[in-house]
Amino acid sequence: MLNAVDNPALTQRKRYYERIAAYNLTPLWEVLHALVPPSPATPIVPAIWHYAEIRDALMESGTLITAHEAVRRVLILENPAVRGQSRITQSLYAGLQLILPGEVAPAHRHAQSALRMVLDGEGAYTAVDGERTVMRRGDFIITPSNTWHDHGNPGTEPVVWLDGLDIPLVQFLDAGFAESSDTDVQAESRPQGDALARYGHNMLPMDFTQTSADPTRVFVYPYTQTKAALLGIARSAPDPHFGHKLRYVNPATGASPMPTIGAFAQWLPSGFETVPYRSTDGTVFSCLEGSGTVEVGGKSLAFNENDVFVVPSWHTYRLQASSDTTLFSFSDRPVQQVLGLWREQKLPKPS
Ligand code: 1HN
């Protein structure tokens, strides 16, 4: 192919581009194909964080800064292809948060929605808009947009959880607000278990209505209930692409618990292998129980308990369980769905 040096037409174009640059103009025809790729061309790469490898470093952070000084003592899980951007997918942030016995992570609120998946240790609590919940391993806890939240650890062990937030999405939209509370620890205005009793038992308060954009008032989905549901559906045949998989919902509407983040739990019996699947929502997985491998992007990543891995948008993946395995996952699926952008493809079983 001729380059600009020996092609007068290209030289002429290049000079033209330089002239119009002064007016902050640039030709679409040079970037059209990159702007509108035939299928998602994500910079995000598949990656895994092995908890056994990073636990010591996380615990060491507890000797360097208090939860109070840090506000939130978290190690961010950065996608290796976009280091420095505090994101694990294009739209989502993930981190591992540590709270030591006796510590408090002070109350604040922000437009960004957050989820927690409790991984290690017992005895901490999270409070959301005046109600506390004890954090137990495998519990899925949410702090919807603009809800006041603080964490504390009155127990005797360090407690670690996975945080998932829609930070990059809110950043992209330039729609973020945040404020700190005057009091580090929220006053308890409702007894523990109140929200779950009112909204989480297939019943609702008499005059309560919500739209599908409202987050659920249920802010804790206890692992005991999740596991019972998964084992309940596991009495029937597994889905070839998902195994035994359920999505967390706002029980008042059937929509996702929060409008910007969808969350899922799945159980794969030992030896089960999923059939190739892809979807446009880049997804973060964490292994709650068991072990296995994920095949994605030409790599085979072995995972164990508490490991976190990411499957980028439109990357075909297969899961294989080497023991009975429970996986938690989250993505921006509800955003894509409400915008009419979400796609999935259930591929055939390889021969
Ligand atoms: C936040 O509020 C929490 O409340 C965790 O635990 C991580 C990352 C960025 C901004 C706010 C929390 C966060 C965060």
Side-chain angles (χ1 to χ4, degrees):
M1 218 167 75
L2 288 174
N3 59 32
V5 177
D6 39 26
N7 182 328
L10 291 186
T11 306
Q12 204 180 3
R13 284 183 198 168
K14 197 164 165 271
R15 293 215 180 106
Y16 166 76
Y17 300 160
E18 283 160 13
R19 270 187 286 125
I20 65 170
Y23 304 101
N24 298 313
L25 296 171
T26 198
L28 170 64
W29 58 88
E30 293 289 343
V31 293
L32 178 61
H33 299 292
L35 288 184
V36 188
S39 60
T42 183
I44 298 301
V45 293
I48 188 162
W49 290 261
H50 296 292
Y51 190 68
E53 279 178 19
I54 59 180
R55 187 179 189 275
D56 284 351
L58 184 61
M59 292 300 155
E60 192 181 343
S61 74
T63 68
L64 300 173
I65 192 164
T66 63
H68 198 271
E69 186 187 353
V71 183
R72 297 296 185 264
R73 190 201 290 110
V74 180
L75 295 183
I76 303 173
L77 306 179
E78 284 199 326
N79 193 279
V82 290
R83 291 299 308 277
Q85 295 187 23
S86 303
R87 65 184 65 186
I88 189 161
T89 70
Q90 284 288 64
S91 60
L92 295 170
Y93 156 107
L96 292 174
Q97 180 158 175
L98 169 68
I99 188 158
L100 296 174
E103 286 192 319
V104 160
H108 68 189
R109 64 175 179 174
H110 37 70
Q112 292 81 357
S113 302
L115 66 80
R116 336 269 168 210
M117 172 47 62
V118 186
L119 296 181
D120 195 4
E122 270 184 19
Y125 68 84
T126 282
V128 179
D129 277 348
E131 182 180 334
R132 283 187 184 184
T133 187
V134 173
M135 303 175 93
R136 297 192 177 85
R137 190 161 187 284
D139 287 356
F140 168 58
I141 296 165
I142 61 166
T143 53
S145 182
N146 281 319
T147 53
W148 291 105
H149 55 284
D150 57 79
H151 319 298
N153 184 351
T156 56
E157 306 173 355
V159 175
V160 175
W161 62 82
L162 173 68
D163 283 317
L165 287 92
D166 55 8
I167 288 172
L169 179 69
V170 174
Q171 199 172 42
F172 177 75
L173 297 170
D174 282 337
F177 294 87
E179 61 186 305
S180 308
S181 174
D182 298 333
T183 48
D184 284 352
V185 178
Q186 290 183 69
E188 284 186 73
S189 57
R190 290 191 309 276
Q192 288 192 33
D194 188 75
L196 198 58
R198 285 179 199 274
Y199 307 98
H201 284 98
N202 301 320
M203 302 179 91
L204 290 170
M206 293 300 286
D207 294 326
F208 182 74
T209 57
Q210 279 197 314
T211 72
S212 62
D214 293 320
T216 177
R217 300 287 183 90
V218 174
F219 67 96
V220 56
Y221 297 73
Y223 189 52
T224 48
Q225 293 181 16
T226 306
K227 189 73 189 287
L230 292 175
L231 292 181
I233 64 168
R235 289 190 292 249
S236 306
D239 178 277
H241 296 88
F242 306 132
H244 302 282
K245 187 170 185 177
L246 295 169
R247 63 185 176 96
Y248 293 91
V249 296
N250 175 346
T253 64
S256 58
M258 301 183 288
T260 53
I261 312 179
F264 314 88
Q266 73 198 107
W267 192 79
L268 308 172
S270 180
F272 188 77
E273 197 169 355
T274 62
V275 172
Y277 173 86
R278 62 180 170 176
S279 60
T280 51
D281 51 323
T283 304
V284 180
F285 290 82
S286 80
C287 175
L288 299 180
E289 288 181 279
S291 59
T293 57
V294 56
E295 260 177 55
V296 56
K299 287 194 217 168
S300 178
L301 308 172
F303 60 79
N304 284 294
E305 262 182 27
N306 290 358
D307 291 356
V308 178
F309 59 91
V310 57
V311 174
S313 168
W314 214 236
H315 279 50
T316 300
Y317 72 95
R318 299 189 74 179
L319 297 164
Q320 181 261 322
S322 34
S323 52
D324 287 352
T325 293
T326 311
L327 297 176
F328 168 75
S329 55
F330 66 95
S331 77
D332 63 12
R333 182 173 300 191
V335 179
Q336 295 198 27
Q337 286 178 324
V338 81
L339 298 178
L341 295 170
W342 185 73
R343 282 200 204 184
E344 67 175 347
Q345 191 176 20
K346 293 175 178 175
L347 294 143
K349 191 177 170 137
S351 43

